[in-house]
Amino acid sequence: MAGSIIIADDESNITDVCRRYLEREGYEVRIAHNGAAALELWEERRADLLVLDLMMPRMDGWQVCEAVRQASDVPIIMLTARGEEPDRLLGLTMGADDYMTKPFSPRELVLRVKNILRRVGTSAAASNAFLPGAGGAQGAIAQSVREEIHFEGLSVYPDERRVIVGGTEAELTVKEFDLLLTLSEYPGRVYSRSQLLSLIWDTEFDGDTTTVTVHIRRLREKLEPIPSEPSWIKTVWGIGYKFEGKRQS
């Protein structure tokens, strides 16, 4: 089984098509046609990824996302029929990792699901490589282990997908962690928003870099003592962002 997914959308034609495409790729798919039912499915048995429509009866996608985020950093993809920037911004601000505007190609949904779960699964595979039954010594040697990244007051553990800031573990979503890792691996290197969009989201989003801006803001809120005066994630005006700090051995 490639992974488990909950799809919540009140349009049966959308959920039916998405289910067929995802099951064809080996995913276990559970369907909900309103927000409350989606939350019930989640509470009954956690999934590896959620696909939430923004506009649903009983509970909308924003409310479900907010409830799930209180207990988990599971990847969330938002679906919106409006395609308006305020809707996208709100979904991303509340913790969504990705968004898609209706109508969309189910093949594109499959691709985005694969990309997100691949990022999560890569670190898990590396961690499990040294466990008994994971291929023995040769299998362990074949697995690469990414170097831990330490700064004064901030540590990033790529293989565990953990971040410790000020002695406390930060709760980051998949995309937030990937964004921080990309920036912190090469302190001082400047990335444009388009570069980060391509590196982290594996897509151009039709040139819309809003999602990068929102994720940077969320990262600062979780990591920086004073988000409005960031000490680590700096804005390079007119270009993008860079990470500032001296790596410690």
Side-chain angles (χ1 to χ4, degrees), residues 159-172:
D159 292 325
E160 300 175 21
R161 296 187 70 85
R162 295 173 62 237
V163 175
I164 304 296
V165 56
T168 302
E169 184 166 355
E171 296 185 4
L172 305 184

Side-chain angles (χ1 to χ4, degrees), residues 155-181:
S155 295
V156 181
Y157 301 88
D159 292 325
E160 300 175 21
R161 296 187 70 85
R162 295 173 62 237
V163 175
I164 304 296
V165 56
T168 302
E169 184 166 355
E171 296 185 4
L172 305 184
T173 66
V174 173
K175 296 299 187 183
E176 289 168 357
F177 180 88
D178 291 339
L179 184 56
L180 175 62
L181 179 60

Side-chain angles (χ1 to χ4, degrees), residues 6-10 32-40 42 50-69 76-82 86-87 90-92 94-96 102:
I6 293 174
I7 301 177
D9 194 305
D10 58 343
H33 291 118
N34 62 71
L39 196 55
E40 289 175 5
W42 167 256
L50 278 67
V51 179
L52 304 175
D53 183 33
L54 283 182
M55 304 304 294
M56 292 185 291
R58 297 184 66 186
M59 289 180 70
D60 59 34
W62 290 309
Q63 293 171 308
V64 177
C65 180
E66 185 176 27
V68 170
R69 275 290 170 261
I76 295 176
I77 298 176
M78 286 289 204
L79 305 178
T80 172
R82 299 180 182 179
D87 293 316
L90 182 55
L92 292 168
M94 295 184 71
K102 297 179 181 178

Side-chain angles (χ1 to χ4, degrees), residues 2 6 24 26 36 45 52 69 71 78 84-85 91 94 131 139 145 166 172 175 187 193-194 207 219 225 241 245:
I6 293 174
R24 193 180 302 163
R45 180 162 55 90
L52 304 175
R69 275 290 170 261
M78 286 289 204
E84 297 176 356
E85 185 172 281
M94 295 184 71
L131 296 176
V145 178
L172 305 184
K175 296 299 187 183
R193 292 174 178 82
S194 296
L219 263 180
Y241 304 97

Side-chain angles (χ1 to χ4, degrees), residues 195-211:
Q195 285 177 317
L196 292 171
L197 194 64
S198 179
L199 287 169
I200 307 303
W201 282 266
D202 300 304
T203 180
E204 292 299 332
F205 268 126
D206 297 325
D208 183 1
T209 59
T210 302
T211 187

